[in-house]
């Protein structure tokens, strides 16, 4: 960055419910954080490379990592993607607006800043009413990653955005807490058969139900989807996944060594040392998805050093929950 180029400067990060003002900031190249039903996004006008560059600066995200472009309506897809296969049409018809991102072959003229220089583009039509109204007003695609610092937990409340990026974003559009709570399911439709790159609330079973065929899960390279980097979605506390039966003994050892220990589970196991901080999750998987990131933030606020987690069953949205927990538990990236 040249000395004349403004870096991520201190801005107000003001919370607002004013859609006109937010649309105006985006149109003139500013950053606006906005709610979607999955997580809050950090938005910039996707056609404006200078605006898009501000997203990477604010997040501290490597510039070759592609962004999702958010649209108001399916008729806009043709200005961003070409050679859209039947499978993508079927999935869009079934799940848009909603928590599904489709990877398609990019149209000519889509800025490299958005795609990370790749030949594909991620597109999503969110269903959150505030996101939809904002996108309608902007009248063009809005590029937005989750509104967190690179590698950290995604925000599911406006306050999460203001505490983490408040000085790096012009406006934060209020939209309450996110209904889904985990990032969108990503399906790569740019190859011969669709592949799930990131599990989410639109489950493998739901996708297969619409396509009428099995769908493969598991991405390709890490650069294609940094949400697939081993360590991601991570709180400050170190995270270990254990069974309910293993937890009490492990907690005791850790407490004895002087660590501040937390336990996160839908059913808090019996026999824990009294010093252990307890973070109880819902019994239903949708509830766990909705609460998970707020609980991880609370874990950090309470100064927990080691978080012991009993993961839910890997069925339905449980696959996405366990995927995020594994990444939170993975060895941390350097820097
Ligand atoms: O729910 C969501 O998807 C949220 C909301 C704001 O829409 N967004 C989000 O964005 O989670 P982000 O950037 O944090 O994660 C998007 C993931 C990244 O892992 C990125 O690499 C992948 O999507 N992605 C975007 N474009 C891609 C492409 N062309 N090919 C492969 N992966 C892509
Ligand atoms: Mg993210």
């Amino acid at each position: 960055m040249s000395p004349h180029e403004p870096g991520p400067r201190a801005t107000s990060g003001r919370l607002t419910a004013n859609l006109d003002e937010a649309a105006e900031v985006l149109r003139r190249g500013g950053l606006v954080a906005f709610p979607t039903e999955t997580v809050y996004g950090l938005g910039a006008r996707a056609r404006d490379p200078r605006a898009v560059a501000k997203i990477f600066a604010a997040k501290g995200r490597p510039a070759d990592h592609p962004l999702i472009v958010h649209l108001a309506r399916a008729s806009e897809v043709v200005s961003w993607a070409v050679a859209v296969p039947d499978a993508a049409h079927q999935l869009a018809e079934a799940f848009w607006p909603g928590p599904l991102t489709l990877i398609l072959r990019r149209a000519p003229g889509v800025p490299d800043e958005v795609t990370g220089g790749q030949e594909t583009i991620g597109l999503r039509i969110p269903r959150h009413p505030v996101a939809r109204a904002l996108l309608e007003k902007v009248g063009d695609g809005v590029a937005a990653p989750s509104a967190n610092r690179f590698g950290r937990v995604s925000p599911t409340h406006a306050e999460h955005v203001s505490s983490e990026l408040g000085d790096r974003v012009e406006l934060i559009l209020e939209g309450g807490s996110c209904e889904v709570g985990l990032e969108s399911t990503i399906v790569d439709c740019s190859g011969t058969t669709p592949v799930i790159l990131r599990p989410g609330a639109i489950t493998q079973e739901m996708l297969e139900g619409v396509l009428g065929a099995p769908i493969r899960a598991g991405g390709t390279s890490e650069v294609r989807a940094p949400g697939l980097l081993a360590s991601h979605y991570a709180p400050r506390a170190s995270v270990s996944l254990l069974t309910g039966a293993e937890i009490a003994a492990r907690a005791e050892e850790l407490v004895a060594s002087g660590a501040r220990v937390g336990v996160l589970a839908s059913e808090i196991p019996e026999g824990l040392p009294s010093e252990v901080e307890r973070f109880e999750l819902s019994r239903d998987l949708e509830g766990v998805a909705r609460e998970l990131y707020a609980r991880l933030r609370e874990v950090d606020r309470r100064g927990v050093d080691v978080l012991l987690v009993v993961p839910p069953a890997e069925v339905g949205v449980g696959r996405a929950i366990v995927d995020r927990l594994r990444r939170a538990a993975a060895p941390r990236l350097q820097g």
Side-chain angles (χ1 to χ4, degrees):
M1 192 172 282
S2 86
H4 307 293
E5 201 79 37
R9 67 198 157 87
T11 51
S12 68
R14 187 161 47 83
L15 286 164
T16 182
N18 188 332
L19 283 162
D20 289 315
E21 188 187 10
E24 182 49 33
V25 169
L26 286 171
R27 269 193 239 105
R28 65 166 163 74
L31 293 185
V32 174
F34 63 97
T36 82
E37 71 278 17
T38 58
V39 300
Y40 276 71
L42 178 62
R45 232 189 105 225
R47 300 261 177 216
D48 179 346
R50 293 177 64 104
V52 171
K54 293 181 188 169
I55 292 177
F56 291 92
K59 278 192 66 126
R61 181 178 184 161
D64 62 347
H65 287 193
L67 302 174
I68 296 171
V69 175
H70 298 70
L71 306 174
R73 47 189 70 225
S75 58
E76 293 169 59
V77 168
V78 292
S79 49
W80 298 93
V82 292
V84 178
D86 285 347
H89 283 292
Q90 289 168 349
L91 295 177
E93 175 79 19
F95 301 116
W96 279 354
L100 175 71
T101 296
L102 296 177
I103 306 298
L104 300 166
R105 304 193 65 78
R106 73 156 155 176
V110 173
D112 279 340
E113 285 77 2
V114 172
T115 65
Q118 302 190 53
E119 285 311 306
T120 55
I121 179 138
L123 298 177
R124 173 158 108 87
I125 301 183
R127 72 163 179 247
H128 192 295
V130 172
R132 302 202 68 195
L134 177 69
L135 292 165
E136 283 284 356
K137 280 187 190 291
V138 174
D140 202 357
V142 172
S146 51
N148 51 279
R149 302 279 179 103
F150 183 63
R152 314 299 310 212
V153 174
S154 296
T156 51
H157 295 264
E159 301 71 47
H160 298 167
V161 182
S162 52
S163 67
E164 198 164 319
L165 290 177
D167 58 345
R168 294 168 173 229
V169 57
E170 277 192 52
L171 282 180
I172 301 168
L173 201 47
E174 264 288 2
S177 63
C178 299
E179 181 196 336
V180 172
L182 294 179
E183 305 79 1
S184 60
T185 304
I186 302 180
V187 179
D188 186 351
C189 293
S190 68
T192 43
T193 51
V195 181
I196 301 172
L197 295 187
R198 181 173 70 184
I202 306 290
T203 63
Q204 186 169 349
E205 293 81 0
M206 291 161 77
L207 296 166
E208 289 175 343
V210 168
L211 295 173
I215 182 167
R216 201 155 48 87
T220 45
S221 84
E222 293 186 339
V223 176
R224 295 202 81 189
L228 303 174
L229 286 172
S231 170
H232 216 81
Y233 314 111
R236 280 190 181 75
S238 84
V239 176
S240 293
L241 309 188
L242 297 170
T243 65
E246 291 168 331
I247 283 204
R250 185 79 188 110
E252 217 157 287
E253 275 169 37
L254 287 163
V255 167
S257 75
R260 199 170 165 101
V261 180
V263 167
L264 177 75
S266 292
E267 266 173 273
I268 301 290
E270 302 283 318
L272 294 176
S274 58
E275 297 88 339
V276 170
E277 299 262 4
R278 291 150 170 84
F279 302 90
E280 196 169 335
L281 293 165
S282 291
R283 301 289 168 113
D284 67 296
L285 292 173
E286 281 70 28
V288 173
R290 197 177 308 123
E291 300 161 357
L292 179 65
Y293 289 155
R295 301 321 292 277
L296 291 178
R297 284 171 188 270
E298 199 185 326
V299 165
D300 281 343
R301 261 200 319 278
R302 302 251 285 264
V304 168
D305 303 310
V306 185
L307 182 68
L308 306 179
V309 182
V310 185
E314 281 186 83
V315 292
V317 72
R319 280 206 203 93
I321 296 165
V322 175
D323 169 77
R324 304 310 190 274
L325 287 170
R326 287 211 182 96
R327 292 178 204 293
R332 300 290 156 88
L333 296 171
Q334 298 300 305

